[in-house]
Every structure is written in structure tokens, then in C-alpha cells.
Amino acid sequence: MDDRYSLRFRGPHLLGIEGLAPYEIQDLLDRAEACVDVNRGLADRRDRLAGRTLLNLFFENSTRTRTSFELAGKRLGADVVNMEVATSSVKKGETLIDTAMTLNAMHPDVLVVRHGESGAVALLARHVRCSVVNAGDGLHEHPTQALLDALTIRRRKGRIEGLTVAICGDVLHSRVARSNMLLLLAMGARVRLIAPPTLLPGGIDAYGAEITTDMMRGLEGVDIVMMLRLQLERMQSAHLPSIREYFRLYGLTRDKLANAAPDALVLHPGPMNRGVEIDGVVADDIDRSAILDQVEMGVAVRMAVLDALAGPDREARP
């Protein structure tokens, strides 16, 4: 086999970070790096996906992620269609398998799916004849979010290996936390999970991350502080005494950030709840906050993923 292809991401789907080899993650990050200038209008790659069709199928609302995928597809010249799930046959009782059969008849090249149930995207991928990208499924994974976070870190810090990354907040309900933990550990970073005891999932210690419920102690010396959104909509019972108490103990303030490395970066996957997960002063600090960088890198990463799954290089593989 040609060496140019032996160490690249080979699909056919992107359903999670779990199972990816470090060289596949590296390949997607390198491809995304090359897409940054295209997204900024400094280079033109509109022929890469010309004639390809991308379907965005979001069973959960997410304006930010759907728009990012839409822009990514259009930047590369794909035909992009956003299916309105709220008014589709799915809402009228159609099963996922029937949906897959319907989608097959439309002949898309890539299907981007967000679904509220863990494993639903993988189930759909088994029944369609195109590539599938997981844009977030239940509490399972959100692989493109982890890739865009990694690209943001690599561009600002020059590396991932050897860094210490604190992932803070609602770990229990966060597919972002799970995908980030898997990616960062695979790429040689040290990961520290910080959360209230009620927001830590059982068995999380098996992944190899350090775990603490003390935020001040957990932030000591870290290079990256990755805050998580508090997902109240997924909580079936009371996990917190109050929002005020949560912010006091786990909200990121300047005082808590002072425990991290002097040049520590702050990330948040958005949408942010100021005064709940993060103080507005920290979020708006242009020297420490990389939150807007994450949004920009999101488009570049999604361009890279679409290109890897449906671009001309894929057709040229032996």
C-alpha cells in the first residue's frame, strides 16, 4: 500500500474518537490546519466536494454545530441540505431504519447526524450507503468538538503531548468531556476531571484521567482549563443544591484561574452560561480565553472531516 495513505484517517464514518489511532487524529488535525486559510477566504478549495451532497439531519437543536457543518460543506463546494426533522416523517413515527432507507433513495454522500440517544448515529450508519458523521449522540460522543478543541490547543500551545488539561463541570452529561478525554489521552496529554461528586459518571476512573472534586486543587499548574456547560435539560433529578452554590464552587473566576499555569488557556464548547460555569470577565479575556478560536476552528475541522470522507483523496486510495 502507498505510504501516503497508510497513516491517514480512513473512515468510512466518523462516529467517535474511541477507536481512532493517534495517527488518524493527527491526520485530521493536519488536514484541518490546511483548511484554516480556506475558511478565512485566503485560499480556494471549492472544487474539493463539487458534485457531492451533504445532508444535515439534526434530531436535537444546535444552531452552532449545524451552521458550522453547513459552512464547512459550502466552503468545499458541496451541495448542502438541512433536513427539518421537526416537521419530517421522523416526528410522525418513522423509525430510524425507515429513515435510513429513505435517505439511501436520495443518494447523499455524507450524512451529518445529531441525536438525543447514545448509539443512534452508529445504528443509522449501519443502514445507509454513505459516510456518516456523528455531530453528537446522547451522552456518548461529540468527535468534531474534541477535534476542534485539539486544533485550538495545538495552534495556541504548539503541541498537545505533555500538556495538563483540566475538564471542569458537568462531566456526567457531557459527550464533549468524553470525546475530549479520549482524544487528549491518546495524544499524550494528562487529563484532570473536576466536578461535583453528583456530576461524575460511574466507572470514569477506568479511562486513566485524574479525578478530583476540589476545583482549586484540580486547577493547580494546568495548561488548559476546559469548562463544560451545565446541562440542566438532561438532569432527571436534583444534582446541585443551587446554581449560586455551583458557581461558587465550580464556576471559573479569576481567583480560581490564578491556580493554573500563568499562561493557561480557557476553553468552553458553548453555548456559555455566564455566571454559572464561567465569569464573564474570564470569558472575555482575549489573552486567556480561546473560546472564539474554538468556533473558527470548528469550521476548519469539519471541512477536514468532510474532505477526508468524501474528497478526491478518498477516491484515489488503493
Side-chain angles (χ1 to χ4, degrees):
M1 180 180 291
D2 191 324
D3 287 343
R4 290 178 301 164
Y5 302 108
S6 61
L7 294 178
R8 306 195 78 173
F9 171 76
R10 287 180 284 177
H13 310 293
L14 180 65
L15 301 178
I17 298 299
E18 188 168 29
L20 293 185
Y23 71 80
E24 292 179 292
I25 296 169
Q26 185 76 36
D27 175 50
L28 290 172
L29 295 178
D30 291 345
R31 289 173 185 258
E33 187 70 49
C35 290
V36 172
D37 280 351
V38 182
N39 185 40
R40 290 176 177 174
L42 302 176
D44 189 352
R45 302 185 80 184
R46 281 176 292 182
D47 59 334
R48 295 290 293 181
L49 296 184
R52 303 293 194 189
T53 301
L54 163 67
L55 284 184
N56 279 328
L57 185 62
F58 277 55
F59 295 86
E60 285 186 330
N61 292 327
S62 173
T63 303
R64 176 189 305 247
T65 303
R66 192 182 72 174
T67 302
S68 185
F69 270 109
E70 183 175 356
L71 276 175
K74 289 180 175 177
R75 295 272 195 268
L76 296 175
D79 297 319
V80 182
V81 178
N82 296 316
M83 292 189 68
E84 298 297 332
V85 176
T87 56
S88 75
S89 299
V90 176
K91 285 290 183 183
K92 299 171 185 172
E94 184 176 85
T95 67
L96 263 181
I97 306 303
D98 288 337
T99 299
M101 298 301 106
T102 301
L103 293 171
N104 280 334
M106 297 180 185
H107 301 289
D109 297 286
V110 182
L111 189 61
V112 177
V113 186
R114 169 167 289 197
H115 200 285
E117 297 295 327
S118 302
V121 181
L123 175 64
L124 197 61
R126 289 198 291 272
H127 292 86
V128 294
R129 294 193 292 266
C130 63
S131 293
V132 176
V133 180
N134 181 2
D137 65 324
L139 306 183
H140 177 226
E141 281 224 43
H142 192 348
T144 58
Q145 179 69 45
L147 287 164
L148 76 87
D149 290 342
L151 183 64
T152 302
I153 293 169
R154 196 176 75 166
R155 286 175 64 86
R156 293 286 291 263
K157 291 291 186 182
R159 63 193 170 96
I160 296 172
E161 184 175 8
L163 295 177
T164 301
V165 181
I167 302 177
C168 316
D170 187 358
V171 178
L172 178 65
H173 301 100
S174 179
R175 54 199 177 204
V176 171
R178 178 178 162 81
S179 289
N180 264 301
M181 181 176 58
L182 291 166
L183 185 151
L184 292 165
L185 289 170
M187 300 305 285
R190 181 178 170 188
V191 176
R192 200 173 289 166
L193 301 177
I194 305 170
T198 52
L199 293 179
L200 282 168
I204 193 70
D205 52 338
Y207 288 90
E210 303 165 31
I211 299 168
T212 179
T213 59
D214 184 331
M215 188 161 184
M216 292 296 277
R217 183 180 298 173
L219 291 181
E220 286 177 0
V222 302
D223 302 290
I224 307 292
V225 182
M226 188 178 291
M227 300 305 297
L228 300 172
R229 187 173 69 85
L230 191 60
Q231 301 190 48
L232 295 171
E233 74 278 12
R234 296 188 191 277
M235 296 184 188
Q236 303 298 316
S237 57
H239 290 263
L240 306 166
S242 69
I243 296 299
R244 178 179 294 182
E245 184 71 358
Y246 179 81
F247 181 68
R248 186 179 73 80
L249 292 173
Y250 295 99
L252 186 63
T253 60
R254 281 200 182 281
D255 287 345
K256 294 193 184 84
L257 185 58
N259 264 23
D263 60 347
L265 284 180
V266 175
L267 278 68
H268 190 299
M272 271 187 303
N273 294 308
R274 294 170 185 257
V276 178
E277 303 119 18
I278 187 168
D279 188 276
V281 173
V282 176
D284 295 333
D285 184 338
I286 58 173
D287 294 322
R288 307 297 291 276
S289 171
I291 294 170
L292 291 181
D293 291 359
Q294 290 173 269
V295 178
E296 182 185 7
M297 293 309 116
V299 179
V301 157
R302 285 154 185 148
M303 290 169 70
V305 169
L306 296 175
D307 187 54
L309 291 173
D313 292 347
R314 182 171 180 80
E315 292 178 343
R317 286 174 195 165

